[in-house]
Amino acid sequence: MRVLEVDHPLVAHKLTVLRDRNTPSPVFRQLTEELVTLLAYEATREVRTEPVEIETPVTRTVGTAFTKPTPLVVPILRAGLGMLEGMTKLVPTAEVGFLGMARNEETLEAITYAERLPADLTGRQVFVLDPMLATGGTLREAVKFLFARGASDVTCICLLAAPEGLQALQSELAEANVTIVVASIDERLNEKAYIVPGLGDAGDRLYGVAG
Ligand code: URA
């Protein structure tokens, strides 16, 4: 498992506005989209490509195309949905699958409540979108699920990660072909497993509190 914390002034600036409790939902959604596009640029560095012959107005030349099957993007519902637009802007030909996961707020265990993914992911490169890597439970289950279907490698794009969650993932996925791309590794988790300093509940900040 590899971890990449993206160090860029644009990322740091957008993240600062996201963290601010006074930032309203519409601005929060817009900034999340922009931030994900910046993270996606780094996260797609190893995307598989092949040479392709094309004709410019001037001559024939060899360019670059994604190999088939194209990458699969998997937002984790609900908060990962707020990251989808930022990712597909950069990789419009990617296929999109969905994984609905929630954590039991008492046991903090991740449960899968919905799934819409190809049955066979053999050889597929998968990009998972989940804004908050807190305890790591949700991502661990998602990554295991994707490898069980045959994915060749999984890249998780997150806004924030807690050191405790990264440590937990590392101890289970050390040898796995997994990359975590994150805008910031924060200080710690609090007693309710929220990331500190964090940005609060990402789903609520994106979509408001739905009962
Ligand atoms: N999920 C969130 O939305 N925020 C956190 O701080 C931790 C998990």
Side-chain angles (χ1 to χ4, degrees), residues 103 132 134 193-195 200-203:
R103 70 174 177 177
M132 308 299 272
Y194 274 78
I195 297 174
D201 186 301

